[in-house]
Amino acid sequence: MAYSQVRFKILPSVRSLYDKLVQIKVEGLAPHKPVRLTSKLADDRGIIFRASALYKADETGQVDVCRAPSFGGSYTGVEPMGLFWAMAPDTPHSKLLKKNVLSPTLVELEALSEETAELLASETCERGYLTDGMKRIPLQEGKLRGVLFIPAGEGPFPGILDLYILGGGLNEPRASLLASKGFVVLALAYYGYKDLPKNPQHLDLEYFEEALTYFRRRPEVKGPGIGIISISLSGGLALAMSSFFPGITATVCINGCIANSMFPLHYKDIIIPPLPIIRKNIRIKTSGLSDVYNCTPDTTLVEHRACLFPIEHSSCQFLFAASEDDRNWKSVFFAEQAAATLRNHGKESFQLVTYPKAGHFLEVPYMPFCESGFHAAVKTEVVFGGEPKAHSEAQLDLWERVQHFFRTHL
C-alpha cells in the first residue's frame, strides 16, 4: 500500500487554545493494521516532553482518537487528549515551563507503522494561550511586577488576581486562559522576576495590598469585588489576603495550607511565623526521591496557632480544591480544617472538592502531569503524588468549577 495518502486531520483546527479539546484523526491507513501515534513538544527551557500510543486502524483505514482505544504506550483505552496530558519529560523531575504566552506551544504529532517503524504522516498542532483581540500588558508600576491580561471586547470585566509565586518568576498560562473566558486577570510576581529580589526573607503582605488597590482601580475591572486564584504556597497567601483585606469576593485555594509556610509573613505590625519543617520526617523512596508529606506539623496543635491565617475574619466565598494523593503536604486535611474554621464561626461561605489519585500541581487542562521535581523548601527532588489519568481528569473538572465559581461570585 502507498502511504502517501496517510494524513492527520485535526478538528476543529490545528490551532486551538491550550485548554480546548481537539479531535485527532489519521486517515489513509492500511485497514486493521497497527499504527503508533506519538506527540512531542519542547518547553521554554528546551526540555522535551513526549507520549505515544498504539492504535489499530478500522476497516476504512482510519483511527479516530476520540473513539478508538489505545492498546499500549503512555496510556490505554479511549482518551481523546491522551497524546497531550500523558506527555512525560525526557529529563526527569521536570515541570513544563511556559514563560511567555505570546507564542503557542507547538506539539508535533507523528503516525508510524508499528510493523516497520516507517513514518507515515506528521502534523504540528498549535496550542495557544491568547484569543484574538486579547491584550497582554507587562506591569511595572512602582514596586509591582507582573502581567495584565485583558479580554477582547467591551469591558469592564470581572477581575481576578492570579498568585503562583513558589519558586519565583511568573506563571502566565492559567492567567491568560482565564482571560480568554472573559475575566481581566493580573498574574502577579513577587520574587525571581525582572528586578524583583531573588531570595526574599519574608512575604510582605502590603505589596499584595498595593497590587489589589492598583488592580481594582483599573478601568477594565468591573468590581466592586475581586477574585483570587492560587496554588500551593500561594494558597496560603490568598488566605492571608482574604483574611486581612476587604473587597475580595471569591478566593480559589488549590492544594494550599491553612497555616503560613516557608517565609514569615509581615503585614503592618503583624508577623505570622512559618510552620517549622520537620526534616527528620523526610522519607527516601526506592526511586531515590524524597517524600515530604509528613514534614509539615499538625496545624491543629496549640503551639502552631500563631502560624494560622485568621480566615474567620474573611468576608469572601472560598473554593477549596485538594488532591487526595498530594505528597507535597496534607492538602485535604488543610482544606477540611479551613472549612471547619469557617463553619465554627457560623460561616458556610465555602465549597470543598477533593480529587482521588490527583497529585500536587493541579494546572490547566491537558497540562502534562508533574510527578516529581525540585522542592524550594527542602532543596531536593521530591515526589508530588498522583496518577496521570486521574490527575488529568481532576484538572479538567477543576477548570470548569473555577470558571463557574468566579462567574457566580464576581
Side-chain angles (χ1 to χ4, degrees), residues 125 146 151 217 245 255 346 348 403:
C125 196
R217 287 176 180 162
F245 304 155
N255 288 332
E348 292 291 336
Q403 293 171 60

Side-chain angles (χ1 to χ4, degrees), residues 41-244:
L41 68 81
D43 80 355
D44 285 2
R45 290 164 301 191
I47 290 173
I48 304 296
F49 290 73
R50 59 179 99 226
S52 73
L54 185 61
Y55 289 92
K56 188 177 176 183
D58 64 15
E59 64 278 3
T60 69
Q62 176 177 280
V63 168
D64 181 347
V65 174
C66 287
R67 297 183 179 183
S70 163
F71 296 104
S74 303
Y75 59 92
T76 56
V78 178
E79 294 292 341
M81 294 295 285
L83 287 168
F84 298 88
W85 62 253
M87 284 191 197
D90 285 359
T91 306
H93 323 310
S94 298
K95 187 170 175 292
L96 191 143
L97 180 70
K98 183 64 178 169
K99 286 183 180 175
N100 185 322
V101 296
L102 290 174
S103 60
T105 292
L106 303 178
V107 181
E108 299 170 28
L109 302 173
E110 291 186 347
L112 303 149
S113 166
E114 182 64 10
E115 295 171 342
T116 66
E118 180 186 357
L119 176 64
L120 307 177
S122 63
E123 183 61 273
T124 299
C125 196
E126 294 186 15
R127 305 288 283 165
Y129 302 89
L130 305 175
T131 51
D132 290 342
M134 188 193 294
K135 293 177 188 161
R136 176 190 177 274
I137 303 172
L139 169 63
Q140 193 161 336
E141 187 85 13
K143 294 182 294 184
L144 302 177
R145 299 291 180 270
V147 174
L148 193 65
F149 293 97
I150 302 170
E154 286 293 313
F157 308 96
I160 299 170
L161 200 59
D162 188 311
L163 302 177
Y164 201 136
I165 67 165
L166 183 60
L170 190 70
N171 188 291
E172 297 188 17
R174 182 174 67 188
S176 59
L177 290 168
L178 267 178
S180 77
K181 313 300 180 214
F183 302 98
V184 54
V185 186
L186 173 57
L188 189 65
Y190 184 68
Y191 69 101
Y193 180 77
K194 305 284 187 185
D195 57 349
L196 291 173
K198 288 200 168 28
N199 298 297
Q201 300 306 303
H202 67 274
L203 290 176
D204 177 9
L205 208 56
E206 289 177 52
Y207 173 89
F208 297 93
E209 185 174 39
E210 189 180 323
L212 198 64
T213 301
Y214 162 82
F215 188 46
R216 196 184 280 116
R217 287 176 180 162
R218 291 283 311 198
E220 303 90 351
V221 176
K222 182 178 172 185
I226 299 293
I228 301 179
I229 186 167
S230 61
I231 187 170
S232 192
L233 176 73
S234 304
L237 194 52
L239 297 185
M241 292 176 70
S242 304
S243 303
F244 289 109

